Amino acid sequence: MIKIVLLPMDERPCNRRYAEELFSHDDIRIVCPGKLGNKKEPADIHEIVSFLEQECADADGLVLSMDMLLYGGLVPSRIHHLSSCDLAQRMEVVKKIRVRYPSLKIYAWHCIMRCPDYSSDEEEPDYYEQYGAMIHKIGEAVHKSRVDMCDPGEVDRLLRKMDQGALDDYVSRRAMNKAMNLRALDFVDAGVIDALVIPQDDSAPFGYAAMDQKEIRAAVVERNLMDKVLIYPGADEVSLTLTARMVNHLRGKKPSVYIRYASEQAKMVIPIYEGNSLENTVKSHVISAGCRICDTMRDADFVLMVTAPAYRIREANEQPSLDPGYLTERNLPALLDETEECLRRGKPVVICDNAYGNGGELALIRMLNKLKILDKIAGYAGWNTSANTLGTALAEGVDFDAHGRSQAHMNFLMERYVEDCGYMSNVRWKIASLLGTEDLQDGIDLSPFSYTEVGEERGVVSQLIQKELEHYIHTDMSSVSERVQIDDVWMPWRRMFEAGIRVWYQINEK
């Protein structure tokens, strides 16, 4: 029995449940904390340390979120008031674990703090509701002025409109978090951490996050750590990615991946919420998952089909897009034909459905259903950012390579169809349009109510979502609908953006 201890980045299903659901088998046990934080409320650091000390004693590997260990979660990392001394002490926990358990393999990740381009305090400090977009513009202007891409006077003009106290608070926290990113490099250099990922959450080519990334990259190169530290767009998928890497390491396997794009031009696309070209990000994710890229389909352990358009990636609620980048310069029929051919030859296929942001491509699922191959492919993902989707799809490929069409794997695969496409691209928008109307007034507190808030974890909204998803399964997933059952639906952060969904798949027909 292989035991992997996972300290996730926060309590949402994508971080807390996905890796455990996908990789738990008779020969692999994934152990997570029973209690974490709640959005802006950080996890109890003493409980986290106790969990690590106890569970690492007989573990083979540790997959560790530094954001959870240092700040109590991803959102708390953006709003904390911890001192440098506090953070340094918490960082020392990793060193103590290494000393106590020298043979333990430790993979860690620590996000570069994001800087959204919109004004909302839902996951940021309170002042971000008023000044968020302005803070982002200032960071972009500062960055561009440093590379002679804008008038330095633009920075002064923006600063005159900004609350200086709010900006000082924001910039000082960024500096402290970046110092911890750099401190983690010391731990890699000293052999305390075996491999480190520094993902850039909701990134862009210019701005505060991009400047931090550049400085951290320079430090990685200077310390000659490029073989142990990876920096790329992503965040919520990293627990899956590094668990996949740990599974590969403990199996002594490095699966080979052949990559096929629906459009060759998509390789140079910079996906929304990211700052790097898609091709470069794909390569980084493959390495991060403990895999390697191969040149021919014949030599691959599995094939990764990438659905991105030739040009700009649009939001899922804008589909179907009639842009040339989707229709004339992207050949989805050819990708599906190759998928069928791979399946005929017994070659596992994983679909990275990053055609749209924040949801899968509805037309793609309908085609997979029409071809009756929804349950034949080895993996599918299509949620949130392109990087989130990519890391999840690769993790499915790794699990399939190790355990094939297991019950856990098929449950996870069907859950991705239901959640990534059924919920995010379809049902979410239907239900959100009803919030605050008379149709949903009874049984739920709607005051105050925004577009995304539901005010409950389980109740009227989650029940309605389950009903709509069951309808989606019977229509868009009709070829497998008799064997797919939704066991539970809940709203982990009491909002519409994400949902917790448990799906069961009957492998053998009744």
Side-chain angles (χ1 to χ4, degrees):
M1 170 69 74
I2 290 173
K3 179 181 177 181
I4 299 173
V5 176
L6 170 62
L7 182 64
M9 192 164 60
D10 63 38
E11 67 279 6
R12 287 173 298 160
C14 58
N15 288 305
R16 170 62 181 80
R17 287 180 50 240
Y18 283 9
E20 187 176 11
E21 281 187 349
L22 180 61
F23 288 107
S24 290
H25 298 282
D26 291 340
D27 59 339
I28 297 179
R29 181 182 172 212
I30 310 294
V31 182
C32 297
K35 182 181 178 182
L36 293 169
N38 183 19
K39 200 176 180 180
K40 286 190 172 184
E41 178 185 340
D44 187 311
I45 183 61
H46 301 292
E47 292 182 359
I48 294 299
V49 173
S50 176
F51 163 79
L52 292 174
E53 291 176 343
Q54 178 179 339
E55 295 296 344
C56 287
D58 60 346
D60 300 285
L62 169 62
V63 178
L64 174 71
S65 165
M66 299 301 295
D67 292 284
M68 176 58 72
L69 178 62
L70 295 177
Y71 316 110
L74 181 62
V75 173
S77 75
R78 304 165 187 161
I79 61 176
H80 71 88
H81 294 283
L82 296 164
S83 68
S84 298
C85 182
D86 292 331
L87 296 176
Q89 288 178 349
R90 295 183 180 190
M91 184 82 86
E92 287 299 305
V93 171
V94 188
K95 188 177 292 186
K96 292 176 182 177
I97 291 173
R98 166 57 71 213
V99 171
R100 189 173 299 179
Y101 311 118
S103 63
L104 183 71
K105 201 74 174 177
I106 301 177
Y107 296 155
W109 79 102
H110 187 193
C111 289
I112 294 175
M113 185 172 144
R114 74 176 190 174
C115 185
D117 62 359
Y118 51 83
S119 293
S120 170
D121 64 354
E122 187 174 0
E123 297 182 22
E124 317 298 328
D126 292 345
Y127 53 76
Y128 221 87
E129 176 71 29
Q130 182 176 358
Y131 295 110
M134 181 63 65
I135 290 173
H136 178 86
K137 287 181 181 178
I138 291 171
E140 187 176 53
V142 169
H143 191 179
K144 288 184 175 180
S145 68
R146 291 181 180 179
V147 293
D148 296 326
M149 290 183 64
C150 81
D151 179 6
E154 177 65 16
V155 177
D156 293 332
R157 285 190 290 271
L158 290 172
L159 287 175
R160 285 194 291 269
K161 301 177 184 178
M162 181 65 200
D163 179 274
Q164 192 59 48
L167 185 61
D168 289 345
D169 176 81
Y170 180 82
V171 171
S172 64
R173 187 175 296 108
R174 287 204 69 92
M176 190 177 298
N177 289 11
K178 181 178 65 178
M180 291 299 104
N181 290 136
L182 295 169
R183 176 62 175 149
L185 300 184
D186 295 338
F187 278 41
V188 176
D189 209 6
V192 176
I193 295 173
D194 295 295
L196 176 68
V197 171
I198 301 181
Q200 191 171 338
D201 182 25
D202 285 1
S203 53
F206 295 96
Y208 285 118
M211 287 188 286
D212 287 351
Q213 184 192 88
K214 182 178 180 180
E215 183 176 340
I216 295 167
R217 283 188 185 278
V220 171
V221 172
E222 182 181 354
R223 301 183 193 196
N224 197 28
L225 295 175
M226 288 183 290
D227 60 329
K228 294 185 177 181
V229 180
L230 290 171
I231 304 173
Y232 55 73
D236 290 325
E237 82 294 337
V238 184
S239 58
L240 276 167
T241 306
L242 287 184
T243 302
R245 182 173 183 161
M246 187 68 73
V247 168
N248 281 332
H249 169 76
L250 296 174
R251 290 175 61 219
K253 181 75 184 290
K254 198 168 188 176
S256 54
V257 185
Y258 178 78
I259 302 164
R260 173 72 166 84
Y261 293 84
S263 170
E264 286 297 307
Q265 292 167 274
K267 295 178 180 180
M268 299 311 297
V269 167
I270 297 180
I272 50 176
Y273 312 113
E274 298 180 17
N276 297 8
S277 69
L278 177 59
E279 182 180 31
N280 191 45
T281 301
V282 167
K283 290 178 179 178
S284 294
H285 276 254
V286 170
I287 296 170
S288 189
C291 302
R292 66 179 183 87
I293 296 174
C294 63
D295 295 329
T296 65
M297 195 176 291
R298 181 185 64 255
D299 296 332
D301 289 304
F302 64 91
V303 178
L304 181 70
M305 300 290 188
V306 182
T307 68
Y311 312 129
R312 176 190 171 201
I313 293 177
R314 293 189 172 275
E315 293 282 3
N317 65 327
E318 298 179 73
Q319 64 179 303
S321 173
L322 302 181
D323 289 353
Y326 282 89
L327 293 182
T328 59
E329 297 299 330
R330 181 182 72 139
N331 200 322
L332 195 58
L335 199 75
L336 288 167
D337 185 66
E338 288 194 37
T339 296
E340 287 191 287
E341 181 61 26
C342 285
L343 296 178
R344 281 192 289 269
R345 296 183 180 185
K347 184 70 66 175
V349 173
V350 174
I351 298 178
C352 170
D353 183 10
N354 58 352
Y356 295 93
N358 287 308
E361 184 171 8
L362 293 164
L364 171 65
I365 300 302
R366 292 175 188 137
M367 284 303 303
L368 295 175
N369 182 59
K370 183 178 181 179
L371 296 171
K372 292 183 170 52
I373 58 175
L374 283 170
D375 57 348
K376 304 297 189 298
I377 65 173
Y380 168 88
W383 64 289
N384 288 18
T385 69
S386 174
N388 294 154
T389 288
L390 176 58
T392 305
L394 285 168
E396 290 176 272
V398 169
D399 181 71
F400 191 89
D401 183 64
H403 294 94
R405 211 171 297 278
S406 68
Q407 183 67 64
H409 188 92
M410 294 306 294
N411 288 351
F412 190 84
L413 173 61
M414 293 298 153
E415 189 176 288
R416 300 277 55 74
Y417 292 138
V418 173
E419 183 175 349
D420 297 2
C421 213
Y423 177 69
M424 293 188 178
S425 295
N426 187 332
V427 173
R428 173 165 61 180
W429 302 102
K430 289 183 180 179
I431 304 302
S433 67
L434 297 175
L435 296 181
T437 67
E438 292 183 2
D439 294 337
L440 287 180
Q441 288 288 348
D442 295 334
I444 182 171
D445 180 12
L446 296 176
S447 179
F449 217 110
S450 74
Y451 183 71
T452 58
E453 294 174 351
V454 297
E456 62 177 22
E457 186 169 326
R458 285 181 169 86
V460 175
V461 174
S462 58
Q463 291 169 11
L464 185 55
I465 288 171
Q466 180 164 343
K467 181 180 178 181
E468 290 290 336
L469 286 176
E470 288 169 349
H471 176 72
Y472 173 83
I473 292 169
H474 284 287
T475 54
D476 287 37
M477 297 173 58
S478 58
S479 63
V480 296
S481 61
E482 292 185 0
R483 286 178 281 161
V484 177
Q485 174 182 316
I486 299 177
D487 288 341
D488 195 11
V489 174
W490 71 101
M491 319 308 290
W493 278 1
R494 296 174 175 84
R495 64 182 189 180
M496 292 297 297
F497 187 74
E498 64 271 291
I501 301 172
R502 290 187 189 275
V503 173
W504 174 266
Y505 177 74
Q506 182 66 42
I507 292 181
N508 298 317
E509 294 192 39
K510 298 177 183 178

